[in-house]
Amino acid sequence: MRKTSPLRLETGRSVRTAKPATAAKPGHARKAADRPPQLQGWATSDEDEIALRRWRGRTEVGEIEALEPKQPVFGTFRVRSDSGGVYEVEIRAFDGGTNSCGCIDHRVNGLGTCKHIEGVLALLRPQHAATFDAASASGSARVEIYLDRRQTPRPAIAWPDPAGGARSAHEWLRPFLTSEGQIADDPRKIAALLAAWASAPAQARRTIRISQHFGPWLEREQRQRSRAKSRAKFLTDVETGKATFDLVKLPLLPYQREGMLHLAFGERALLADEMGLGKTVQAIAACELLARRKQIKRVLIVCPASLKAEWEEQIARFTDRPARSVFGAREQRLATYVAPVFFTIVNYEQVLVDADDINRTLAPDIVILDEAQRIKNWQTKTAKRVKQLRSPFAFVLTGTPLENRIDELYSIVQYLDPELVGPLFRFNRDFYSLDERGRPVDYKNLSGLRDRVAPVMLRRRKADVEGQLPGRTVTNYFVAMVPEQRARYDDYKGQAARLMAIAQRRPLLPKEFERLQMFLACMRMICDTPAILDPTCRVCPKLEELERILGELLEEPGRKVIVFSEWERMLGMIRELAGEMGIEVAWHTGSVPQQRRRAEIIRFKEDPSCRLFLSTDSGSVGLNLQAASAVVNVDLPWNPAKLEQRIARAWRKGQTRGVTVVNLVCEDSIEHGMLHLLGSKQALADGVLDGQGDLAGLKMPSGRAAMIERMQALLQEQVARAVPPAAPVVASREQTTADDLRRRHGDHALYIEARAGTDGRNRLLAVLDLDRQALKTEATRLSQIVGSDDVIEIIDRSDWLTLCRLQSSGIVQFTGGDVRVLHRAPGLAETEAEDEDAAKATRTRVAALRDQAERALRMAGVLSASGFLEEVVPALIKAIGHAAAAMLANAGSLPAAATLVTAAELLALKDRKALPPLACSAIEALAAAGGCSDRDVAALITATAAAVAALVQHDVA
């Protein structure tokens, strides 16, 4: 549809004006105009941002509708953007930033424009129409009263030129004007003006236009005034006996009363108390206060799935208000939203699919986000959906609003009050130093950031209320590696070091960076035990140290201990140790169903004989485990927030004893160096959130380059702690040649040995799994490199097996000196019979694993048919895990004792593209599955069945 002319707009009807499709043969000028503006990273000016919105207006605004047919240019237009949003735009001028829009970007960006305004201007801007030229020269014929949102929002008035009928308008507006003829910058007078406008005379309504977009500004101003008044009124009522602080069944400590007031009268507020200070009870008390003072009736609590039972328990402990957790298929969840109780508890995954239903049906008065670091990354789907939840009151609870970067704090505060932190481009300007390419290189003005968020954030540390909490002692135990562990660790360390060396010369490719992250993760796992990666190698010095520590800790009668490890396989070995020591344990990992987790928690709290709580980081947030007075961290997390979250399970309000914290640290390893890294990250959080330390001295650990620097520092610290190195070992010529063959041929290099011949020359034998032509080419290459000094023989696998068989039967005999095996591939058979036996064993194992996958798949169908929908997804993951194990076993790369590939390992295999496409799709669907309906479950079962079939037939490259 072509653009509508201004004459057509004057017909008296609302006319839809659609942006034309791209011309069939666009010229070069059109192509250039349709390109987005070139920006330099984050270093954008206001002019750059306006240019970006102009481009987006031209390319993303689909159609407009004139709502004032008699005002074809300086009128009001309804805009439909490509994203589906509908907004009303008021045009007053072709430039100057005085136009208005109802979108959030216009409210926040401080530019005076947005893509919707620019899209309307692009469609209305004249090409050959004199009417538009005249309108541009004369401006709006009406008195325009609007909110100027450039920089700080303020009411403004624009008088027409010439004045025309403005004299009568001036008379009617007199009570709302200053002596200079400007509109009063007073929200109360603007509210009075809007109230009077409803009964304004016809002459005034013809000559004056008052913007429809004052509402959010007025509401914000009025709420800010009413908060202070409401709080003061409550405190006065407490003093006079008309109200009380005793709102919950147990008394609140003074700092908790302050937190309750901050939430209740802040209305949309962040409570960032350090772990263990009772954020949950403060939020419950604030809800009770608002129920009595503001008659709120519906509270939505959004938390990690593992904490739903904990919220139910805390609500029952502190109040008589009813609470209900949301479970089940979509129909069940909708029924809960339709008939809610006072507290409705959902997990973040459910919000991802139910946000619209929650807004429409439940319509909560208060939204509480617990462990709100889940929305710290503003780019994730979860963060975006959670921020779509609507409610007059919002409480954000997190002890770690800032874990790694200040963007995280921006994302959280943006949900509460987007106007407080402003647009991201201005936030970046204010608090980051940028290089010439617009990339962040350092922080700046961190004290200003703390001041910026102060109106909504309340944070107290344990040190602030230490007189009301017991103390804690922290001890680090350094554990040395054994030789086998060190050898495996050094293999991964060497590969990581090579990639970091490349990173010093050029940026790593995405695949290289992923490999680096994988090597670092493997190094951390081996710091615990190689068994996490290879169940056949169970050396574990930490386990021996832990046995001694548990023996000492549990000598105290009644003492209970929490043991954390990031890896479930490590916890499995600890559970075996506990069994040998006769210690009963509770088990809390991500693979345990929610209802079972709750039973394990209750058993640990209430059963005197259950003295050990084994948990991955699934239990490091939200759980109240004051029954324990000791926390053992078998491994260290990357950031101090997670470490504090673990410790805060025991060291928190309600703890009556001192808490002992033990960290097991693998000596001279990446884990050893992480102690310094944890300290530097803690310094950033302390500075911004608590105002501690030298803010100006903090440097930004940003992006991949910063990660490389940190890893280099970790490895250098290990070298500094070690004894001076011995003289370098020079590799032999044979070993160098063997290493070269392994690098060139990888898994195809099966066996390499060296012997001293009777003629004094060395003999090198290499068995390569290559075709005849490739073997010949390789032999020629090596002969040219080595010359006549050594004898090198290259044979294939079948020839090697024949030689081994002839030797074992006595027909041939190998001659020469001692044999030095330079390389031997795992599982290489020395006879055809042994090879066939191994093949039979592999086929038997693969068939058994396929049967297990099929059984798990059938079990998922049974659970679905019986209505146990929450149990279906774990069964499907298990089915894929067994099928992936069959695939790896068939390729000879599955550890001997393994029967299942864990969910984390499946994701890693998927990311490395080591799985067939059908399996990758099914894994992604299962990872994203929250609450499932019958239809959802049926689709997941079908996808998993296809994935299992693809896996068991897949050949690993």
Side-chain angles (χ1 to χ4, degrees):
M1 184 184 298
R2 62 187 179 85
K3 293 181 182 177
T4 303
S5 72
L7 296 177
R8 187 177 174 190
L9 285 171
E10 291 174 354
T11 59
R13 295 184 293 112
S14 293
V15 179
R16 299 171 67 85
T17 306
K19 190 175 148 180
T22 304
K25 296 181 180 180
H28 297 301
R30 175 62 181 273
K31 289 181 180 179
D34 282 346
R35 291 197 190 104
Q38 298 299 309
L39 305 178
Q40 284 293 318
W42 290 359
T44 61
S45 64
D46 283 4
E47 291 72 21
D48 293 331
E49 294 293 335
I50 291 172
L52 177 62
R53 284 157 179 79
R54 283 178 180 156
W55 174 77
R56 293 186 65 190
R58 291 198 310 270
T59 59
E60 296 179 18
V61 173
E63 57 185 39
I64 66 173
E65 178 182 353
L67 301 181
E68 296 181 281
K70 294 183 179 179
Q71 300 290 339
V73 180
F74 299 117
T76 304
F77 302 86
R78 181 173 292 129
V79 176
R80 289 173 174 82
S81 69
D82 287 353
S83 62
V86 179
Y87 306 94
E88 290 192 3
V89 169
E90 299 168 347
I91 300 298
R92 299 181 183 86
F94 289 134
D95 52 29
T98 61
N99 301 313
S100 302
C101 180
C103 73
I104 187 64
D105 182 51
H106 187 263
R107 279 174 50 194
V108 170
N109 67 35
L111 300 172
T113 190
C114 65
K115 74 171 184 180
H116 308 110
I117 291 173
E118 297 300 333
V120 171
L121 291 175
L123 293 175
L124 295 180
R125 186 167 284 116
Q127 294 181 356
H128 303 288
T131 304
F132 282 94
D133 292 334
S136 178
S138 63
S140 175
R142 294 182 288 185
V143 178
E144 299 279 2
I145 300 173
Y146 60 96
L147 187 67
D148 189 337
R149 284 198 173 271
R150 290 171 292 185
Q151 304 303 325
T152 303
R154 59 182 182 83
I157 188 168
W159 298 92
D161 185 24
R167 183 173 302 171
S168 61
H170 190 281
E171 289 302 313
W172 186 84
L173 287 170
R174 188 184 300 278
F176 312 105
L177 301 176
T178 65
S179 57
E180 292 81 16
Q182 298 302 311
I183 199 75
D185 189 3
D186 182 342
R188 287 169 293 189
K189 283 202 171 185
I190 296 297
L193 170 63
L194 294 177
W197 183 244
S199 57
Q203 178 62 25
R205 299 185 73 85
R206 282 194 299 271
T207 56
I208 301 172
R209 177 169 62 157
I210 299 178
S211 175
Q212 304 174 56
H213 299 139
F214 275 107
W217 176 77
L218 276 176
E219 182 183 359
R220 178 182 170 85
E221 296 291 326
Q222 291 165 355
R223 285 169 74 95
Q224 286 178 340
R225 288 197 309 272
S226 68
R227 290 171 193 163
K229 288 182 179 179
S230 297
R231 178 169 176 150
K233 176 68 166 59
F234 173 74
L235 294 176
T236 300
D237 288 349
V238 170
E239 289 178 3
T240 58
K242 295 180 181 178
T244 178
F245 280 120
D246 298 327
L247 297 167
V248 290
K249 293 191 282 188
L250 296 175
L252 298 176
L253 297 170
Y255 78 87
Q256 292 176 324
R257 292 180 178 180
E258 180 64 24
M260 173 189 71
L261 296 176
H262 172 73
L263 293 174
F265 296 113
E267 297 185 353
R268 301 184 67 83
L270 166 61
L271 184 59
D273 284 351
E274 211 173 21
M275 295 294 161
L277 296 186
K279 294 185 290 294
T280 301
V281 66
Q282 294 175 70
I284 292 171
C287 293
E288 183 64 33
L289 175 57
L290 290 173
R292 300 187 188 190
R293 307 285 292 193
K294 302 284 188 180
Q295 289 72 53
I296 66 103
K297 293 179 172 139
R298 299 182 178 187
V299 178
L300 176 73
I301 299 168
V302 185
C303 65
S306 59
L307 297 185
K308 293 163 88 171
E310 183 70 21
W311 268 96
E312 287 185 22
E313 183 178 310
Q314 293 296 309
I315 291 168
R317 183 183 179 199
F318 287 101
T319 179
D320 292 324
R321 303 272 180 184
R324 181 188 299 152
S325 291
V326 176
F327 293 105
R330 176 174 170 77
E331 292 77 10
Q332 294 172 266
R333 302 198 305 273
L334 288 178
T336 305
Y337 303 146
V338 169
V341 296
F342 189 84
F343 290 104
T344 299
I345 308 169
V346 300
N347 50 274
Y348 282 93
E349 293 78 9
Q350 289 170 330
V351 173
L352 200 58
V353 293
D354 289 354
D356 295 334
D357 298 308
I358 290 170
N359 285 332
R360 181 173 55 252
T361 307
L362 179 62
D365 302 308
I366 303 175
V367 169
I368 300 176
L369 303 184
D370 188 22
E371 300 299 340
Q373 59 269 28
R374 291 291 186 93
I375 65 166
K376 69 181 182 180
N377 186 346
W378 50 272
Q379 296 173 309
T380 64
K381 289 182 180 179
T382 298
K384 290 175 181 177
R385 286 296 277 168
V386 168
K387 289 180 181 182
Q388 290 172 5
L389 294 175
R390 297 191 299 270
S391 63
F393 297 84
F395 304 161
V396 171
L397 313 179
T398 175
T400 55
L402 191 158
E403 291 185 295
N404 295 301
R405 293 173 60 103
I406 58 176
D407 311 56
E408 300 165 358
L409 187 59
Y410 171 88
S411 181
I412 290 173
V413 176
Q414 183 195 44
Y415 169 66
L416 296 170
D417 187 351
E419 294 184 50
L420 185 65
V421 288
L424 185 59
F425 71 83
R426 192 162 281 123
F427 180 90
N428 291 337
R429 285 186 214 163
D430 292 343
F431 304 115
Y432 281 108
S433 294
L434 308 175
D435 65 13
E436 67 280 357
R437 295 177 62 184
R439 298 174 300 187
V441 294
D442 209 346
Y443 300 122
K444 67 178 182 181
N445 192 25
L446 292 181
S447 59
L449 173 58
R450 190 177 65 249
D451 295 339
R452 177 82 63 86
V453 300
V456 298
M457 184 177 78
L458 177 64
R459 177 171 172 83
R460 280 79 54 90
R461 297 168 60 88
K462 287 191 176 80
D464 301 329
V465 292
E466 59 185 353
Q468 303 169 45
L469 292 171
R472 75 178 183 186
T473 59
V474 180
T475 305
N476 295 322
Y477 287 91
F478 294 96
V479 183
M481 293 190 201
V482 296
E484 176 65 19
Q485 185 180 16
R486 173 64 69 182
R488 291 173 181 248
Y489 177 90
D490 286 343
D491 281 345
Y492 286 109
K493 178 183 173 184
Q495 296 178 82
R498 281 192 288 274
L499 286 169
M500 286 191 282
I502 295 172
Q504 302 305 308
R505 302 191 300 270
R506 61 166 175 81
L508 293 179
L509 301 173
K511 286 186 178 180
E512 292 174 327
F513 190 75
E514 291 172 4
R515 286 174 60 211
L516 174 59
Q517 291 179 306
M518 180 190 72
F519 293 147
L520 296 174
C522 291
M523 290 164 65
R524 292 182 60 216
M525 294 176 196
I526 290 175
C527 286
D528 276 2
T529 172
I532 298 173
L533 296 170
D534 178 8
T536 64
C537 181
R538 290 172 61 84
V539 295
C540 186
K542 282 188 178 182
L543 202 63
E544 298 173 11
E545 186 68 22
L546 182 62
E547 180 180 4
R548 185 187 63 79
I549 292 169
L550 290 178
E552 292 181 5
L553 290 174
L554 296 176
E555 280 183 0
E556 179 182 330
R559 178 172 232 174
K560 297 194 174 193
V561 181
I562 309 171
V563 178
F564 280 105
S565 174
E566 195 164 339
W567 294 286
E568 189 167 339
R569 285 186 179 175
M570 182 65 193
L571 288 178
M573 295 179 69
I574 296 171
R575 180 162 58 179
E576 293 174 22
L577 169 66
E580 292 293 331
M581 296 175 68
I583 304 170
E584 288 193 27
V585 303
W587 183 261
H588 191 289
T589 69
S591 62
V592 177
Q594 291 182 33
Q595 301 297 334
R596 182 61 189 166
R597 290 188 209 177
R598 183 176 188 180
E600 292 290 295
I601 294 167
I602 293 172
R603 186 164 72 90
F604 178 73
K605 289 181 176 181
E606 300 178 359
D607 185 351
S609 63
C610 182
R611 302 185 65 189
L612 209 57
F613 188 90
L614 305 184
S615 180
T616 59
D617 283 320
S618 65
S620 68
V621 291
L623 297 181
N624 296 323
L625 299 173
Q626 299 96 324
S629 59
V631 176
V632 178
N633 294 297
V634 176
D635 39 65
L636 296 175
W638 276 116
N639 69 60
K642 280 192 175 180
L643 190 62
E644 283 300 312
Q645 286 170 349
R646 292 177 175 184
I647 296 169
R649 297 315 99 220
W651 192 54
R652 60 193 299 117
K653 179 181 175 291
Q655 179 60 266
T656 58
R657 296 165 293 176
V659 174
T660 299
V661 180
V662 175
N663 299 320
L664 294 181
V665 182
C666 188
E667 192 173 10
D668 294 329
S669 72
I670 188 173
E671 208 173 46
H672 200 157
M674 281 167 61
L675 290 174
H676 171 73
L677 179 62
L678 290 170
S680 64
K681 286 190 174 183
Q682 186 64 57
L684 173 62
D686 289 347
V688 174
L689 301 178
D690 306 309
Q692 297 185 358
D694 179 13
L695 286 171
L698 289 176
K699 297 299 179 183
M700 186 188 80
S702 170
R704 296 182 176 183
M707 177 185 172
I708 299 296
E709 292 177 6
R710 290 198 296 269
M711 294 307 102
Q712 289 279 28
L714 292 185
L715 296 181
Q716 289 169 4
E717 284 183 17
Q718 295 173 43
V719 173
R721 285 193 296 269
V723 297
V729 177
V730 179
S732 66
R733 189 163 56 246
E734 298 90 343
Q735 186 64 59
T736 301
T737 303
D739 291 343
D740 176 61
L741 287 168
R742 291 179 64 187
R743 280 193 298 271
R744 291 176 66 84
H745 301 294
D747 294 339
H748 295 288
L750 302 179
Y751 180 78
I752 307 172
E753 71 171 34
R755 297 171 184 259
T758 55
D759 57 358
R761 292 191 298 172
N762 291 324
R763 283 170 166 75
L764 193 73
L765 172 66
V767 181
L768 304 180
D769 189 13
L770 302 174
D771 59 42
R772 293 291 178 182
Q773 183 58 44
L775 287 172
K776 185 176 179 180
T777 301
E778 186 60 46
T780 302
R781 184 186 73 85
L782 287 174
S783 65
Q784 293 171 349
I785 295 173
V786 175
S788 60
D789 292 336
D790 295 319
V791 177
I792 298 179
E793 292 290 345
I794 307 292
I795 63 175
D796 66 10
R797 186 171 184 275
S798 62
D799 289 345
W800 168 249
L801 293 175
T802 300
L803 286 172
C804 289
R805 186 179 72 251
L806 293 174
Q807 183 195 35
S808 64
S809 63
I811 297 176
V812 299
Q813 183 178 355
F814 295 151
T815 61
D818 293 337
V819 178
R820 288 183 293 123
V821 177
L822 304 176
H823 168 65
R824 181 186 182 88
L828 176 65
E830 296 187 354
T831 68
E832 289 179 329
E834 183 183 344
D835 194 47
E836 180 58 29
D837 290 342
K840 288 180 180 178
T842 297
R843 288 194 293 271
T844 301
R845 187 182 185 198
V846 169
L849 291 170
R850 290 177 178 177
D851 289 342
Q852 289 178 283
E854 294 294 339
R855 281 199 300 273
L857 198 56
R858 289 195 297 272
M859 178 56 71
V862 171
L863 291 169
S864 174
S866 303
F868 296 101
L869 300 185
E870 289 185 354
E871 308 297 331
V872 173
V873 170
L876 294 176
I877 294 174
K878 192 173 181 181
I880 292 183
H882 286 309
M887 178 194 77
L888 296 177
N890 198 36
S893 56
L894 185 71
T899 61
L900 181 73
V901 177
T902 67
E905 292 165 339
L906 285 171
L907 290 172
L909 288 169
K910 177 185 73 69
D911 293 341
R912 297 203 305 271
K913 297 182 172 56
L915 301 177
L918 284 174
C920 293
S921 300
I923 290 168
E924 289 174 352
L926 290 169
C932 298
S933 66
D934 291 331
R935 184 181 303 172
D936 297 332
V937 166
L940 287 173
I941 291 175
T942 300
T944 303
V948 167
L951 282 164
V952 298
Q953 297 170 8
H954 186 63
D955 290 326
V956 178

